[in-house]
Amino acid sequence: MVTTRATSDRVPDRRVARGRFAPSPTGPLHFGSLVAALGSFLEARRHGGEWLVRIEDVDMPRTAPGATMAILRALEWYGLHWDGPVVHQSQRAVHYQAALELLLDAGWVYPCTCSRQTLAGCSRGRDGAPIHPGTCRSGPHRLDRPSALRLRVTNASLTFQDAIQGEYRQQLERDVGDFVLRRADGVFAYQLAVVVDDAAQGVTHVVRGADLLDSTPRQIYLQRLLGLSTPDYAHLPVVVDARGDKLSKQTGAPPLDERRVGPTLTAALRFLGQRPPPELATEPVATIIAWAVAHWDLTLVGARIRSDPSDTPTN
Ligand code: GLU
């Protein structure tokens, strides 16, 4: 373990329950991201806690112009009012660099020049990415190209208890391989940024889509190396379209219709296994949210990884 806690830019108050919604601003909010926002909001509020919004724009070239404003505006229509200032990852590179240096100094990180082509023959992890076999651990292959920085992992079994999906176990070396913390083009990886930010913001309850379930052991591993505490995790079923693909801008998810806020919110609640009375859909947004906070029950959210909204009971 690295002993200094230089990654926290302020000391968060751990007595306060704190959740967060951390969208990547690649497009406007759609039904799938609304479900993630609503689930994390309700879990935080049910604990009497705060709910933060963090814009994950660490990979600037992938961000869509206007998406951040569109997401924030949509959260407001849906009555999902956040606490404190919105944090932007694009402004936090100094904190990611500090964490990286701790890991470098402790010998956990090494430069890697493997190209996509070099890794083409490797077996693939659950997310489809090649499992890096640690080839560059004892020195990069090519000195003539910029290197990514990779974290050395171990094969110890890493288990955590997800509040919805139950026990989840991985052996990082076997299942994921050494993973990138900073890309060769200098962009910090999601895995590092999310761990640094969740700790710096004092997040105690991470509620997000189950597409990120298999990232969680990597995040817990990083937390342990950096001496940071591990929040509680709950991974919600991911909303899929009729073809079974996760709703996203890339798969053509329609943006939310601002004229149908009530019916959309109650559909999102039903997707999350909650049982709003049918007449709630025509009530003002504040009434729907108040009902949802008062009745929120995480145990009603089914332990499904992916789900089509049409599977959802109507009340
Ligand atoms: N930025 C990620 C996304 O939009 C979510 C990250 C997280 O919740 O940890 O998929």
Side-chain angles (χ1 to χ4, degrees):
M1 189 182 97
V2 181
T3 44
T4 334
R5 299 190 51 156
T7 51
S8 299
D9 29 318
R10 63 190 169 87
V11 180
D13 181 353
R14 298 228 158 262
R15 289 164 306 179
V16 181
R18 206 171 275 147
R20 60 25 166 215
F21 176 53
S24 305
T26 51
L29 207 68
H30 51 72
F31 187 72
S33 37
L34 175 69
V35 162
L38 183 63
S40 64
F41 174 91
L42 293 173
E43 183 64 4
R45 293 289 191 242
R46 187 186 70 92
H47 284 93
E50 296 173 355
W51 186 66
L52 314 177
V53 173
R54 181 171 73 230
I55 302 295
E56 299 213 320
D57 55 357
V58 73
D59 190 356
M60 282 304 271
R62 283 189 58 234
T63 64
T68 297
M69 284 317 293
I71 291 170
L72 296 177
R73 218 177 30 239
L75 291 175
E76 282 177 338
W77 293 336
Y78 286 92
L80 303 177
H81 302 296
W82 58 89
D83 297 299
V86 173
V87 166
H88 295 259
Q89 288 192 326
S90 53
Q91 285 156 28
R92 294 187 43 79
V94 59
H95 303 291
Y96 311 144
Q97 185 62 33
L100 189 62
E101 275 162 26
L102 287 178
L103 297 165
L104 267 164
D105 290 349
W108 286 101
V109 173
Y110 63 88
C112 169
T113 54
C114 290
S115 63
R116 238 170 252 208
Q117 220 173 354
T118 327
L119 298 176
C122 296
S123 46
R124 307 262 148 185
R126 224 179 272 251
D127 60 0
I131 300 177
H132 192 272
T135 348
C136 300
R137 280 184 183 180
S138 51
H141 283 142
R142 303 268 308 258
L143 296 169
D144 58 331
R145 42 163 100 147
S147 15
L149 292 175
R150 246 177 228 281
L151 182 70
R152 195 153 46 83
V153 296
T154 66
N155 217 19
S157 170
L158 207 155
T159 308
F160 76 98
Q161 194 62 34
D162 187 88
I164 298 171
Q165 308 295 339
E167 186 177 287
Y168 191 78
R169 183 187 302 263
Q170 257 179 7
Q171 283 175 244
L172 286 179
E173 192 166 14
R174 182 194 67 189
D175 301 332
V176 178
D178 290 354
F179 58 96
V180 170
L181 298 185
R182 199 181 70 198
R183 296 191 329 217
D185 61 4
V187 172
F188 289 99
Y190 156 70
Q191 306 291 357
L192 178 66
V194 77
V195 164
V196 169
D197 289 344
D198 281 341
Q201 295 186 280
V203 170
T204 56
H205 293 75
V206 172
V207 179
R208 59 185 176 190
D211 51 324
L212 291 165
L213 186 61
D214 82 316
S215 282
T216 306
R218 268 171 276 183
Q219 294 172 17
I220 294 175
Y221 182 73
L222 270 169
Q223 286 154 2
R224 291 180 184 170
L225 290 179
L226 291 165
L228 303 169
S229 48
T230 293
D232 291 348
Y233 287 98
H235 287 86
L236 305 168
V238 167
V239 183
V240 296
D241 61 20
R243 288 190 309 263
D245 294 324
K246 180 190 168 194
L247 281 196
S248 72
K249 190 169 159 251
Q250 290 72 25
T251 59
L256 294 167
D257 181 349
E258 127 187 42
R259 289 157 308 178
R260 289 184 45 80
V261 169
T264 307
L265 259 183
T266 48
L269 286 169
R270 286 195 303 275
F271 180 85
L272 289 168
Q274 312 301 299
R275 298 179 184 126
E279 62 280 10
L280 195 66
T282 53
E283 294 289 335
V285 171
T287 309
I288 301 175
I289 292 293
W291 182 93
V293 172
H295 294 86
W296 173 246
D297 183 353
L298 191 72
T299 66
L300 295 177
V301 182
R304 297 155 291 152
I305 300 290
R306 307 169 85 73
S307 184
D308 181 324
S310 62
D311 300 343
T312 308
T314 47
N315 64 57

